[in-house]
């Protein structure tokens, strides 16, 4: 099954940033491999109910970060430089864990409760 | 003639587009599948009526049977336009909330029904071959009108038969067939680009898209098959009526006549495929009309 992008109209984060973050994470985590072709701007914009320019901005920013490459007639593909070295993947996971812990602590949960909740979601 | 052809090729589909846009704006106000389905069927009926009116206009304006030869293709063009518009413009509103998109690129080829598409390609190839053969073997008639009859000379005896679909008939018909091909390609592209979100999940969304593509391909096939039945009948019977024939005329004449019932059977199948992918829903639901 191919990866999915989601767009939450209620989220205060601008749509192009929501997409940019998800695509960057998918590339960094290795869900999208170097050379994988992304859908055309119009298709993605239509599916998500966005203006074509919004998706174009996302692609452009990811190109500037070196994660995507665009070629006339060849579409937009994941750049070979965007291959996920193990350390980058680990760094992504560490960042997500840090966000989770900080958010839970901010809401008053103890470290023990946080660990227990995480443990419950990782059945062995 | 050129003004009439312009009116038929441009004015007719434009009128259908206006009807479809009106239907689309009405369906946006409601989310009932049965309501949308009614608009889709109304669109088909409108295109058929517009096609019959346009064909009647063409038939009564163009002389020497040229209008008659174009009738099936004119009706077919309107059916393709109507089915295409119904599948792309008349759509329900998209539900609010979180939207999702797959990162897989959609291609027209992925949604074409294989057997139906092969049949449409085959009948189109036979039709184009028939028109090419007729155009290249036709002669001028006794009034000097090029491409109106077929003629042969056996010693001192000459023979001719018409109407025969030479350039006199095949020129405008080729233009119409080209427009039908372009309209089909445009409708298929629009269906594939149609946003996700009208079905509960991606699988159902793909099914909807396949059904839309099926209807459009079937409409194109119906236009070509109807046109071929008429052209093959006139070409085949003209060749068989010749008192003096060249060697190829008799077998080709019989082949063309034999292809008429085949084209008619295919026409029936294509028309059935336009109708069958969407039976009436048992109950109105939030799902799109074609998930019924």
């Amino acid at each position: 099954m191919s990866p999915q992008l989601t767009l939450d109209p209620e989220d205060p984060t601008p749509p192009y940033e929501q997409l940019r973050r998800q695509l960057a994470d998918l590339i960094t985590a290795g869900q999208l491999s170097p050379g994988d072709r992304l859908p055309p701007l119009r298709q993605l914009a239509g599916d998500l109910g966005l203006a074509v320019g919004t998706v174009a901005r996302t692609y452009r920013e990811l190109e500037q970060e070196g994660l995507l490459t665009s070629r006339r007639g060849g579409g937009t593909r994941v750049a070979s430089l965007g291959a996920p070295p193990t350390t980058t993947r680990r760094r992504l996971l560490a960042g997500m864990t840090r966000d989770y812990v900080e958010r839970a602590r901010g809401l008053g949960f103890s470290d023990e409760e946080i660990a227990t909740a995480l443990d419950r979601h990782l059945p062995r | 003639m050129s003004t009439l052809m312009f009116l038929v090729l441009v004015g007719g589909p434009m009128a259908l587009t206006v009807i479809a846009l009106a239907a689309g704006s009405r369906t946006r106000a409601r989310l009932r599948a049965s309501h949308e389905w009614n608009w889709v069927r109304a669109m088909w009926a409108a295109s058929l009526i517009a096609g019959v009116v346009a064909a009647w206009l063409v038939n009564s304006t163009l002389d020497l049977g040229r209008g008659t030869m174009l009738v099936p293709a004119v009706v077919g063009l309107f059916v393709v336009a109507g089915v295409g518009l119904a599948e792309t413009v008349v759509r329900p509103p998209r539900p609010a909330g979180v939207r999702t998109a797959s990162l897989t690129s959609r291609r027209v080829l992925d949604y074409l029904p294989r057997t139906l598409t092969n049949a449409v390609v085959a009948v189109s190839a036979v039709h184009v071959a028939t028109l090419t053969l007729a155009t290249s073997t036709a002669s001028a008639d006794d009034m000097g009108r090029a491409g109106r009859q077929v003629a042969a000379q056996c010693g001192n005896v000459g023979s001719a038969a018409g109407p025969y679909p030479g350039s006199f008939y095949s020129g405008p018909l080729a233009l119409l067939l080209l427009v039908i091909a372009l309209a089909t390609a445009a409708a298929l592209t629009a269906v594939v680009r149609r946003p996700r979100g009208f079905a509960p999940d991606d699988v159902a969304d793909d099914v909807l898209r396949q059904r839309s593509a099926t209807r459009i391909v079937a409409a194109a096939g119906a236009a070509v098959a109807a046109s071929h039945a008429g052209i093959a009948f006139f070409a085949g019977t003209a060749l068989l009526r010749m008192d003096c024939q060249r060697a190829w005329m008799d077998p080709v004449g019989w082949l063309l006549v034999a292809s008429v019932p085949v084209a008619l059977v295919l026409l029936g199948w294509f028309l059935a495929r336009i109708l069958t992918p969407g039976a009436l829903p048992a109950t109105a639901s939030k799902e799109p009309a074609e998930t019924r």
Side-chain angles (χ1 to χ4, degrees), chain B residues 1 5 9 62-71 73 126-139 145-149 163-180 227-228 230-232 234-235:
Chain B
M1 180 207 154
M5 286 296 277
L9 296 180
L62 300 181
D63 55 354
L64 299 170
R66 195 152 46 164
T68 311
M69 291 254 196
L70 293 178
V71 162
V126 170
H127 193 37
V128 169
T130 303
L131 286 174
T132 307
L133 173 83
T135 304
S136 60
T137 55
S139 321
R145 288 173 291 236
R148 246 208 99 218
Q149 67 175 18
Y164 185 73
S167 58
F168 188 78
Y169 300 101
S170 64
L173 181 56
L175 178 67
L176 264 178
L177 291 174
L178 180 67
V179 174
I180 289 171
S227 175
H228 180 75
I231 291 294
F234 281 107

Side-chain angles (χ1 to χ4, degrees), chain A residues 2 4-5 7 43 46-47 49, chain B residues 94 99 101-102 104 196 202:
Chain A
S2 72
Q4 299 259 335
L5 294 181
L7 183 86
Q43 178 186 317
D47 287 356
Chain B
R94 200 152 50 166
R99 293 162 182 174
S102 165
T104 305
R196 284 192 188 275
D202 285 356

Side-chain angles (χ1 to χ4, degrees), chain B residues 17-124:
Chain B
T17 306
V18 171
I19 297 171
L21 287 172
S25 65
R26 291 289 299 273
T27 52
R28 243 159 244 136
R30 297 172 176 83
L31 196 63
R32 294 211 328 269
S34 57
H35 185 78
E36 182 213 349
W37 180 226
N38 287 339
W39 274 108
V40 168
R41 288 191 300 181
M43 198 62 222
W44 294 352
S47 65
L48 191 61
I49 292 167
V52 169
V53 171
W56 175 73
L57 271 173
V58 168
N59 187 41
S60 58
T61 309
L62 300 181
D63 55 354
L64 299 170
R66 195 152 46 164
T68 311
M69 291 254 196
L70 293 178
V71 162
V74 171
V75 177
L77 168 65
F78 277 78
V79 170
V80 169
V83 170
L85 287 168
E87 294 303 320
T88 51
V89 181
V90 186
R91 292 288 108 190
R94 200 152 50 166
V98 174
R99 293 162 182 174
T100 61
S102 165
L103 283 175
T104 305
S105 296
R106 293 194 292 270
R107 298 178 311 159
V108 169
L109 280 176
D110 299 332
Y111 294 95
L112 293 179
R114 190 173 297 173
T115 309
L116 183 72
T117 307
N118 288 342
V120 172
V121 169
V123 76
S124 302

Side-chain angles (χ1 to χ4, degrees), chain B residues 153-209:
Chain B
Q153 192 80 24
C154 307
N156 294 329
V157 184
S159 174
Y164 185 73
S167 58
F168 188 78
Y169 300 101
S170 64
L173 181 56
L175 178 67
L176 264 178
L177 291 174
L178 180 67
V179 174
I180 289 171
L182 292 176
T184 305
L188 286 172
T189 307
V191 160
V192 169
R193 283 190 183 162
R194 196 168 69 192
R196 284 192 188 275
F198 297 125
D201 53 52
D202 285 356
V203 176
D205 191 272
D206 279 344
V207 170
L208 288 191
R209 230 176 279 276

